[in-house]
Amino acid sequence: MLDNSQIYSRNGISRFPIQSVNAMRQPKIITTCKSYNRDQFISDCIAGITVAMVAMPLSLAIAIASGADPAKGLVTAIIGGFFISLLGGSRVQIGGPTGAFIVVVFDVIATHGYDGLVLATFMAGIILVAAGYFRVGRLIAFIPEAVVNGFTIGIGLIIASSQLKDFMGLQLASVPADFLEKIPALWGARDSFNLSAFAVALVTLGLIIGLRRAFPRFPGLIVAVALGSLMIVALHLPVDTLYSRFGALPESLPVPALPALGWDRIVELFPSALIIAFLAGVESLLSAMVADRMIDGHHRPNAELTAQGFANIASSLFCGLPATGAIARTATNVKAGGQTPVAGIVHAIVVLLVMLVAAPLAGNLAMPALAALLMMTAWNMSEPHKWKSYAAGRRSDLVLLILTLALTVLVDLTVAIGVGVCLGLALRWWEKRSAASDWTTPERSWTVTEEEAEAMGPDLGIVAQEVGEIVQEVEGMMQTVQGVQTASASSNADPH
C-alpha cells in the first residue's frame, strides 16, 4: 500500500509527483493562500471587478433568454460564482449562468415551471457532488469531441434564433420553443419590424466587436450595452427596456429555501437533472482546461466537479439558475490579471454590491442591446473559425457532429447528447477493435531492461496507489455498514 504523495526512484529522488485523494479534491484556494501576498490581492481585485462588469449584462441576458426573470441571472452569478471560486479546482475559473444552459433551462421552465427548474438544479448539484467524490472528473476524456462541438453549435444556433425578435424589435406575443415553429412565427411578424430597435442592436454589436479588438483587456461588454441603451434615452426611441418589460429589479437576495420535494416530482425531473449535471460538468472542465493552457497550470477535475455541485445546490436554494464555469469570463479573468480564486470571489461580491446599490439603473438597459450581446455569445460558442478543420477531419467525426447538431436543433438536447455519446463511444470501440485486429505480437523476450523498468515505475505506482485508495474507501464503507448492522442487532436484542 502506498501512503506517500510522491513516487521515488531507487536513489530517493522524487521522479513523478502524484496527488493523494484528498489533494485531488482539495480546493485550489487552500493551495494558493499558502503563499498569497499583497500584489496578488491587488491583481485579483482588479480582475474581479473587470469580470463583474462583463458578467452582469451577460447574466441578465442569459436569464431572459432562458425564460426566467432577469434577476435570477444576477443571483446565479453571485451565489454560483462565489462557490465555484471558493471550492473549485482551478486557480482562475469564473462561474455563473452560461449560454450552454439556455436551451435546457427554457425547456424545463416551459414544461415543469420554474419550481421544477429549481428542483432539477438541486438534484443536479447532488449528482455533481457524488461525481466529484467518486472521481468521475477524468471521464471527460471519454466524451467524443465531435459530440461536444455538435451540441455547442446547435445551442448557439438556437440562442441566435431566439434573439431575432428583440434584435429586430418584432411584436410577437410569444416565441415558440420549437425551432421549426419559431422561424415561420418570426417571419409572420416581419411587418412589425422596428428600425429603432434594429439600429440599437447593430450599434451595440459593432461596439462589442470594436472594443474587444481595440482594448482586449477592457470590459467592453458593459460599455457597449450601456452606450446602446443610452441611445434610447438620448434620442427618445420607442424601444423596450428591462424595466418596461419585467419591472424593477430586486435590490436584495431572496431568502434561501429548500425546493419542494416529492418522489413523483423527483422521478419526473431526474432526466432534466442529469442533463444539467452533464452540461455543468463538461462546460466547467472544458473551461478549466482552456484556463490551464492560458496560465500553464493544472486544475483538479474532481474538486471542480464537487464545487459545481455545491454551487448548483446553493443557487437552487436562492431560486437561481444552473451554474457552471464560463469560458469567456474565465478568459477575461486571466487577461485582466487574475491569479487565484480570490478574483472569482471578488467578482461575486461586486455583482452583489451593484445589485444592492444600482439595481434601478439596470432597468434602463435596452432589450435590443442585450439581444446583440447574446448574438455575439452565440457566435463565439459556435466557433466558426474551427468549422474548416471539422470538415477536413475524419468522416466519422463529421457525421457525428452533424447528427448531434441536427438532433439538438430539431429534436431535443437530451436526445442529442444521449445518441451522440452512445454512438461516439461505439465508433471509438469499433476503431480500437479494428486497430487491434491488425496487431501482431512483436518478437521480443519477456524480460525488460533496467531502463524500461525504471520508466514503467511511475505508471505502476499510480495504478497501485489508486487501487489502494479505492480498496480503502470500500473497506471504510463496509466497516460503516457492519457497524450499523451491529448496532441494529444490539437494539433488537435489547428487551427494553
Side-chain angles (χ1 to χ4, degrees):
M1 184 67 63
L2 297 174
D3 55 359
N4 296 323
S5 60
Q6 305 277 351
I7 297 297
Y8 294 91
S9 62
R10 289 175 299 175
N11 59 6
I13 299 176
S14 173
R15 300 185 66 253
F16 197 91
I18 299 177
Q19 294 177 318
S20 66
V21 173
N22 291 333
M24 290 167 64
R25 298 181 182 135
Q26 188 181 75
K28 274 284 187 178
I29 196 169
I30 296 177
T31 305
T32 56
C33 281
K34 293 177 181 178
S35 58
Y36 201 63
N37 56 49
R38 180 175 173 272
D39 291 339
Q40 285 180 315
F41 178 71
I42 293 173
S43 296
D44 285 340
C45 285
I46 294 173
I49 294 170
T50 302
V51 175
M53 297 301 105
V54 173
M56 283 186 289
L58 268 175
S59 300
L60 291 168
I62 289 169
I64 295 169
S66 302
D69 187 271
K72 304 301 184 185
L74 294 180
V75 170
T76 310
I78 295 166
I79 303 300
F82 177 83
F83 281 98
I84 287 172
S85 294
L86 181 68
L87 304 175
S90 171
R91 294 176 64 97
V92 293
Q93 180 88 286
I94 299 294
T98 67
F101 281 124
I102 289 177
V103 176
V104 66
V105 169
F106 187 94
D107 181 65
V108 173
I109 293 176
T111 308
H112 306 286
Y114 195 82
D115 59 332
L117 174 68
V118 171
L119 179 55
T121 303
F122 183 81
M123 294 164 59
I126 295 174
I127 294 171
L128 286 164
V129 171
Y133 179 80
F134 289 106
R135 290 180 285 171
V136 180
R138 292 182 179 178
L139 297 182
I140 184 67
F142 293 97
I143 299 174
E145 185 178 357
V147 173
V148 177
N149 294 333
F151 75 70
T152 302
I153 296 173
I155 290 172
L157 184 59
I158 293 174
I159 292 173
S161 65
S162 70
Q163 297 308 301
L164 288 174
K165 172 180 174 288
D166 287 329
F167 196 91
M168 298 183 177
L170 301 178
Q171 298 300 314
L172 198 62
S174 61
V175 180
D178 186 83
F179 184 81
L180 294 180
E181 296 176 4
K182 184 185 305 177
I183 301 304
L186 292 170
W187 178 252
R190 64 188 182 278
D191 291 338
S192 62
F193 173 75
N194 186 330
L195 183 59
S196 298
F198 187 61
V200 171
L202 286 181
V203 168
T204 305
L205 188 60
L207 286 171
I208 291 173
I209 297 172
L211 289 173
R212 178 174 294 176
R213 291 180 178 177
F215 309 101
R217 298 187 178 184
F218 186 72
L221 288 182
I222 194 167
V223 174
V225 173
L227 290 177
S229 302
L230 191 61
M231 289 176 59
I232 299 175
V233 179
L235 302 177
H236 304 287
L237 300 177
V239 175
D240 283 346
T241 64
L242 276 180
Y243 181 80
S244 67
R245 187 175 296 183
F246 299 100
L249 292 175
E251 299 180 38
S252 63
L253 288 173
V255 177
L258 277 171
L261 301 174
W263 179 248
D264 292 340
R265 193 70 162 155
I266 289 174
V267 172
E268 180 185 9
L269 288 164
F270 186 69
S272 298
L274 280 177
I275 290 299
I276 291 172
F278 176 85
L279 286 176
V282 171
E283 185 87 353
S284 66
L285 294 177
L286 288 175
S287 177
M289 287 190 287
V290 170
D292 284 348
R293 290 196 291 267
M294 295 180 73
I295 65 173
D296 193 23
H298 299 282
H299 73 284
R300 296 166 182 162
N302 299 307
E304 192 61 35
L305 286 182
T306 303
Q308 302 299 324
F310 282 115
N312 278 281
I313 291 173
S315 180
S316 68
L317 296 180
F318 285 86
C319 293
L321 303 170
T324 186
I327 296 175
R329 274 159 274 174
T330 298
T332 300
N333 182 37
V334 174
K335 293 176 182 177
Q339 299 182 28
T340 75
V342 173
I345 294 174
V346 170
H347 136 268
I349 294 173
V350 171
V351 176
L352 174 61
L353 292 176
V354 172
M355 184 180 187
L356 297 176
V357 176
L361 292 176
N364 295 317
L365 295 178
M367 296 303 298
L370 294 174
L373 174 58
L374 281 178
M375 283 288 193
M376 196 69 218
T377 300
W379 177 267
N380 291 333
M381 284 181 63
S382 302
E383 298 183 309
H385 61 282
K386 294 184 178 180
W387 291 357
K388 187 176 180 180
S389 63
Y390 297 160
R394 294 188 304 178
R395 183 63 58 86
S396 60
D397 286 345
L398 180 60
V399 171
L400 187 58
L401 187 153
I402 294 174
L403 175 64
T404 308
L405 190 161
L407 289 174
T408 300
V409 174
L410 302 177
V411 183
D412 180 71
L413 183 61
T414 306
V415 175
I417 291 175
V419 172
V421 170
C422 292
L423 184 58
L425 293 178
L427 287 173
R428 182 177 294 182
W429 173 82
W430 178 260
E431 290 170 356
K432 286 186 176 180
R433 183 174 178 271
S434 299
S437 64
D438 296 335
W439 183 81
T440 56
T441 305
E443 295 182 2
R444 58 177 299 170
S445 65
W446 289 101
T447 61
V448 296
T449 65
E450 184 176 346
E451 291 76 10
E452 291 174 328
E454 187 176 357
M456 293 167 59
D459 293 332
L460 295 175
I462 294 173
V463 174
Q465 184 187 14
E466 293 203 356
V467 170
E469 289 165 352
I470 293 172
V471 170
Q472 284 182 334
E473 291 179 2
V474 173
E475 289 176 348
M477 288 189 288
M478 292 179 63
Q479 290 174 0
T480 302
V481 172
Q482 290 173 355
V484 172
Q485 291 175 341
T486 303
S488 176
S490 300
S491 63
N492 292 334
D494 189 350
H496 302 292

